Amino acid sequence: MSGEDNLLRLVEAEDGDENNYHLQDQVGFILRKAHQRHVALFASHIGDLTPPQFAALAKLYDIGETSQNQLGMLIAMDAATVKGVIDRLKARGLVEVSKHEVDKRRLLVNLTPEGREAIERLIPLARTITEETLAPLTAKEAATFLRLLAKLA
């Protein structure tokens, strides 16, 4: 059944029996399936990093050195999760961590030359992943989908 058929059934269910509940018509279920498809595409193109690790590298490439906490906020990760991501990237030599000159409690994160090289190599693959994820949609549908999804985020 297509996504359009699912949406039609969801709308019809809203107009009909309130006790009629189909898991496959629920937003969380559909989002999870779409996410699983995207993660599978990600793994097929970028198998040596997790999506959170890629997100950290991509954001550091975009903004440069920043605090670990700020990076976590920018990539929608809690402090414990971003710490684990940074620890694993540091162990691989892709990022470096240093203490702030004034506030020694504040950890700064930056790409290493190896990290910069890796993300520059991976960005074209990430674009391909996005294209493949959105491939079932027309360009107009993809733009609308991303705009609406951003409203939910």
Side-chain angles (χ1 to χ4, degrees), residues 57-68:
L57 292 177
K59 186 50 74 174
L60 287 170
Y61 183 73
D62 186 35
I63 65 168
E65 183 178 65
T66 190
S67 74
Q68 185 171 292

Side-chain angles (χ1 to χ4, degrees), residues 44-120:
S44 73
H45 289 284
I46 303 176
D48 60 338
L49 288 176
T50 65
Q53 290 170 345
F54 175 83
L57 292 177
K59 186 50 74 174
L60 287 170
Y61 183 73
D62 186 35
I63 65 168
E65 183 178 65
T66 190
S67 74
Q68 185 171 292
N69 285 343
Q70 178 69 16
L71 179 62
M73 286 187 282
L74 292 170
I75 59 176
M77 283 184 212
D78 61 72
T81 302
V82 78
K83 182 189 181 322
V85 167
I86 296 303
D87 287 348
R88 286 184 286 285
L89 291 172
K90 182 180 174 192
R92 294 181 59 182
L94 299 174
V95 300
E96 56 192 6
V97 177
S98 60
K99 293 189 187 250
H100 190 273
E101 289 181 15
V102 177
D103 184 352
K104 300 297 182 193
R105 298 169 299 165
R106 190 172 170 198
L107 294 177
L108 299 176
V109 184
N110 205 359
L111 292 173
T112 62
E114 294 82 7
R116 180 168 297 283
E117 180 182 306
I119 195 64
E120 287 173 350

